[in-house]
């Protein structure tokens, strides 16, 4: 039976086919108090949606998220990956180099594998801003990332079903 979920932007009906998908979560250890809360939000949302198979893997920092996501897709055959990290602006240009590399690489994985690789990475100025987005006053961005993964998997199923129906007519 389909499960009805409401994200901040849209309502999603999760079909039984989507519930059987394997979803990977790759999480960075840097700023673990924050990434741990984002992980809790993402896992809780996937469980509430009835997702049966969830693999959680930790990597050292945000820079390692793209390779961790690639491992989950290539070696564990994940259908979607949620990448969770927290980059806090410091006094060196590190923040810019890492956030640009991570954003570009995660974005490319979506198209390379034709699978959702969701950007659950906070890029903030302060630890306080991160806390607000990791279960604080601005919600939990991990939970939002999980809903995005489900929405994209559902979209794929719908488009597949529609294109199958069209072929029957020829
Ligand atoms: C080096 C570094 C710095 C300065 N800041 C962060 C951060 O705010 N968040 C994060 O997830 N990782 C950070 N890292 C570590 C890098 O992502 C990476 O793990 C190392 O540079 C090793 O490749």
């Amino acid at each position: 039976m389909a499960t009805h979920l409401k994200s901040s932007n849209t309502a999603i009906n999760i079909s039984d086919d989507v519930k059987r998908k394997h979803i990977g979560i790759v999480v960075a250890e840097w700023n673990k108090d924050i990434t741990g809360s984002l992980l809790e939000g993402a896992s809780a949302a996937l469980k509430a949606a009835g997702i049966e198979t969830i693999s959680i893997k930790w990597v050292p920092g945000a820079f390692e998220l793209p390779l961790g996501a690639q491992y989950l897709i290539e070696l564990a055959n994940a259908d979607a990956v949620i990448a969770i990290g927290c980059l806090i602006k410091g006094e060196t240009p590190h923040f810019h180099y890492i956030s640009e590399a991570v954003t570009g690489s995660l974005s490319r994985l979506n198209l390379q594998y034709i699978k959702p690789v969701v950007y659950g990475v906070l890029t903030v100025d302060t630890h306080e801003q991160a806390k607000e987005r990791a279960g604080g006053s601005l919600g939990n961005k991990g939970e939002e990332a999980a809903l995005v993964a489900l929405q994209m998997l559902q979209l794929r199923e719908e488009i597949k079903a529609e294109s199958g129906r069209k072929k029957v007519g020829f």
Side-chain angles (χ1 to χ4, degrees):
M1 202 180 63
T3 300
H4 186 75
L5 290 177
K6 178 100 182 65
S7 80
S8 53
N9 299 317
T10 184
I12 318 164
N13 280 313
I14 308 300
S15 66
D16 289 342
D17 282 341
V18 168
K19 288 180 193 174
R20 284 189 284 271
K21 299 288 182 197
H22 174 195
I23 303 195
I25 307 180
V26 60
V27 202
E29 282 171 357
W30 263 74
N31 302 309
K32 199 170 185 174
D33 60 322
I34 302 293
T35 59
S37 300
L38 297 172
L39 171 62
E40 276 174 28
S43 305
L46 296 180
K47 284 179 192 149
I51 297 298
E52 291 161 17
T53 313
I54 305 169
S55 301
I56 299 168
K57 297 292 168 202
W58 288 85
V59 293
F63 187 77
E64 283 72 38
L65 288 171
L67 183 57
Q70 190 159 8
Y71 284 159
L72 280 166
I73 294 172
E74 285 267 2
L75 307 176
N77 202 22
D79 296 299
V81 177
I82 300 157
I84 290 177
C86 173
L87 284 158
I88 301 180
K89 207 169 186 172
E91 287 174 1
T92 67
H94 239 96
F95 174 87
H96 288 290
Y97 296 132
I98 297 175
S99 43
E100 269 191 33
V102 173
T103 306
S105 301
L106 289 176
S107 168
R108 274 192 294 281
L109 288 179
N110 282 268
L111 306 180
Q112 181 179 340
Y113 289 102
I114 323 178
K115 290 182 175 184
V117 177
V118 182
Y119 189 73
V121 183
L122 298 181
T123 53
V124 290
D125 290 330
T126 63
H127 190 262
E128 197 49 44
Q129 287 177 346
K131 274 169 61 182
E132 285 168 356
R133 290 159 177 78
S137 59
L138 297 176
N140 188 313
K141 301 296 170 191
E143 180 187 332
E144 288 179 24
L147 295 179
V148 169
L150 294 173
Q151 192 175 347
M152 292 306 290
L153 288 170
Q154 192 63 48
L155 175 68
R156 181 179 186 276
E157 293 304 305
E158 279 167 26
I159 292 173
K160 248 176 69 183
E162 282 167 16
S163 70
R165 275 199 296 277
K166 274 189 202 124
K167 280 185 195 127
V168 173
F170 288 110

